[in-house]
Amino acid sequence: MRPEYWPTSACDHPGEHRRPGAGLPDDGHLRGEDDLQRFSIYRDVPGISKIGLQNKYTGSMMAHDRYPERELIDQYPHPVSSAPHVNPPTSPFRAGRSAPDRALRGAPRTLGRMVEHRMIDVNGVRLHIAEEGEGPLVVLLHGFPESWHSWRHQFGPLAAAGFRVVAPDQRGYGRSDHPADVAAYSILHLVGDVVGLIRALGEEKAYVVGHDWGAPVAWHTALLRPDMVLGVAGLSVPPPSRGPEPPLVAMEREFGGRFYWNYFDRPGVADAEFAKDPRLTLRKFFYGASGDTAGEVTQPLVDPDRGWLAAMEDPEEMPGWFTEGDLDALTESFSRGFTGALNWYRNLDRNWELTAPWQDAVITSPALYLYGDRDLVPAFPGAPEFIASLPDRMPGLHREPIVLPGCGHWTQQERPDEVNAALIDFLTARS
């Protein structure tokens, strides 16, 4: 018989923490596949699990009690049941399924597609990762100011296409470590995290896909470690081209210090501005850089006396592709502030110095590049001409750059269907 609900009473035990309105239907019950797809099981360190549900849209845990994993499986061998109540420590379900995967193996097909979460040690830092599926590994790298959640529309389709999909909160973001040293966010550290992640997941090679800042990390992983990259895809940010001078120096001269990179480079300044109201900051960011705004795409310049947010519109309503739940999840991921994320920008000139040995080097891995025609990044000085030259510069380019009409900066969130189709075409062509 098809399960009708997963009663919240399964989480009703002492010490629980439930965030009011965390994505449940009005009566507090999950019904059928539509509701189940909104939640994921959270696995913490090996041997320990957090009992309950995590809303995939808000990122919030409905219950935070911790039990040994064996006890979890014994109590909840079948997470979804037509039984009216499941109250620990007793359970009407039979015990004895000791392997963690068994909890999902007997569950409805929907649960087999659920995103799971855990922490993993790589390259001297501890990263939070989200994962789903089996098959060749695909690593999805988010940008600024984002988290693993920015790939929420890609997990299901890519997993269904036969891939193991993993998206970390990169260093300085979300539940992952936030090193204090600014120099710990160089491109070599970030590529090292990807290399370490691939190894820690038990793989030798992977497809690497990145958006915004995640794209330079993906591109440089392919450039520096082509032996480990089955294919590379970048969204929004084109492949790297090392210019004749450091990028912060170049933008300082070009725009008199008003380019947003230079604003972000000032220690503590943008950090404090954005941390005053993280939710407002993120709402303005995501609306302002989307394809839903009116007017032409302009260079992101900042009045250093007013800050960046002062000139940004605060929309009455967000675009349909970015829900209040999405904003909840993103806001929660920046509860530790923006400094770690901003430190990536503070390494732009250092990255230019560190990558000198790869001057004019060519990415030879199979590659794919997508961007929106209302994205501000491909409109940066010199970018349109460089993008037009990519078919001649990159021998492994799968096809000419894909341009998404009306799409702004948040490529895979604004146009998930088109992005998923392009990624699956690219990945399956080489698997």
Side-chain angles (χ1 to χ4, degrees):
M1 182 172 66
R2 178 177 174 177
E4 290 300 319
Y5 60 85
W6 186 346
T8 55
S9 58
C11 303
D12 289 340
H13 42 78
E16 79 169 8
H17 170 74
R18 179 176 298 145
R19 185 178 183 278
L24 283 171
D26 292 339
D27 62 359
H29 291 129
L30 305 181
R31 289 188 176 81
E33 297 187 357
D34 289 343
D35 286 329
L36 287 170
Q37 288 177 335
R38 305 165 98 183
F39 295 85
S40 60
I41 292 173
Y42 184 96
R43 283 186 185 164
D44 202 356
V45 294
I48 298 292
S49 290
K50 290 187 177 180
I51 307 299
L53 301 175
Q54 182 193 35
N55 186 321
K56 288 169 68 175
Y57 294 128
T58 67
S60 301
M61 288 300 300
M62 291 168 55
H64 284 283
D65 298 73
R66 287 141 88 87
Y67 285 80
E69 195 157 64
R70 171 59 185 264
E71 188 173 348
L72 167 68
I73 302 307
D74 286 351
Q75 291 183 15
Y76 305 104
H78 197 309
V80 180
S81 171
S82 57
H85 282 286
V86 185
N87 286 312
T90 61
S91 169
F93 302 125
R94 61 185 178 86
R97 300 189 184 185
S98 58
D101 295 46
R102 294 295 293 276
L104 296 180
R105 209 171 287 162
R109 191 179 298 268
T110 302
L111 285 180
R113 296 199 302 268
M114 291 172 72
V115 179
E116 296 187 4
H117 299 252
R118 61 187 170 111
M119 305 298 292
I120 192 166
D121 294 312
V122 303
N123 192 30
V125 294
R126 192 162 173 76
L127 300 182
H128 160 249
I129 65 170
E131 58 185 328
E132 179 179 358
E134 297 179 355
L137 177 61
V138 179
V139 177
L140 303 177
L141 303 171
H142 67 79
F144 175 90
E146 300 178 270
S147 71
W148 74 270
H149 186 76
S150 68
W151 298 103
R152 61 194 176 281
H153 300 303
Q154 282 65 55
F155 277 95
L158 295 186
F163 295 93
R164 180 187 184 187
V165 186
V166 173
D169 283 336
Q170 298 200 73
R171 65 167 64 200
Y173 285 86
R175 292 186 288 235
S176 294
D177 283 352
H178 294 223
D181 184 5
V182 174
Y185 296 85
S186 77
I187 194 66
L188 297 187
H189 288 84
L190 302 174
V191 170
D193 291 350
V194 177
V195 170
L197 178 59
I198 294 171
R199 299 285 196 210
L201 292 170
E203 303 291 345
E204 297 294 325
K205 299 175 183 289
Y207 295 96
V208 186
V209 181
H211 167 258
D212 184 75
W213 252 113
V217 178
W219 295 125
H220 278 92
T221 302
L223 182 66
L224 306 184
R225 292 303 306 268
D227 58 307
M228 296 185 68
V229 176
L230 295 169
V232 58
L235 282 60
S236 176
V237 180
S241 176
R242 189 174 181 274
E245 59 183 339
L248 290 174
V249 173
M251 291 304 190
E252 177 81 28
R253 187 188 63 256
E254 179 83 12
F255 297 106
R258 299 184 62 209
F259 197 68
Y260 80 107
W261 292 355
N262 302 100
Y263 181 67
F264 287 1
D265 187 49
R266 298 178 177 183
V269 177
D271 318 46
E273 181 189 6
F274 300 160
K276 286 179 182 177
D277 188 339
R279 188 181 180 85
L280 175 65
T281 295
L282 296 167
R283 188 167 65 235
K284 285 190 170 187
F285 266 134
F286 271 75
Y287 179 74
S290 75
D292 295 86
T293 56
E296 61 183 80
V297 177
T298 60
Q299 297 298 329
L301 304 183
V302 182
D303 182 340
D305 296 325
R306 300 178 62 212
W308 198 8
L309 299 178
M312 285 187 171
E313 180 181 354
D314 183 10
E316 294 184 2
E317 186 177 28
M318 292 297 289
W321 54 267
F322 194 74
T323 68
E324 289 299 310
D326 296 327
L327 184 56
D328 286 342
L330 196 59
T331 303
E332 185 175 345
S333 74
F334 281 94
S335 61
R336 297 162 69 181
F338 290 80
T339 298
L342 291 167
N343 282 341
W344 290 44
Y345 291 90
R346 293 161 184 158
N347 277 273
L348 282 167
D349 285 0
R350 182 179 286 110
N351 293 342
W352 182 84
E353 296 172 359
L354 292 172
T355 55
W358 291 273
Q359 178 75 41
D360 299 325
V362 175
I363 293 174
T364 57
S365 301
L368 180 70
Y369 176 52
L370 305 86
Y371 67 96
D373 66 0
R374 292 190 56 76
D375 187 346
L376 71 168
V377 174
F380 284 179
E385 296 79 11
F386 177 73
I387 292 171
S389 72
L390 286 179
D392 297 325
R393 289 173 177 264
M394 298 180 66
L397 201 62
H398 176 62
R399 52 179 294 180
E400 289 194 359
I402 299 174
V403 184
L404 303 176
C407 180
H409 180 61
W410 316 106
T411 326
Q412 76 274 23
Q413 299 184 67
E414 294 186 51
R415 296 290 188 274
D417 292 341
E418 294 94 324
V419 170
N420 292 341
L423 288 177
I424 291 171
D425 173 68
F426 172 65
L427 296 171
T428 55
R430 346 213 77 74
S431 298

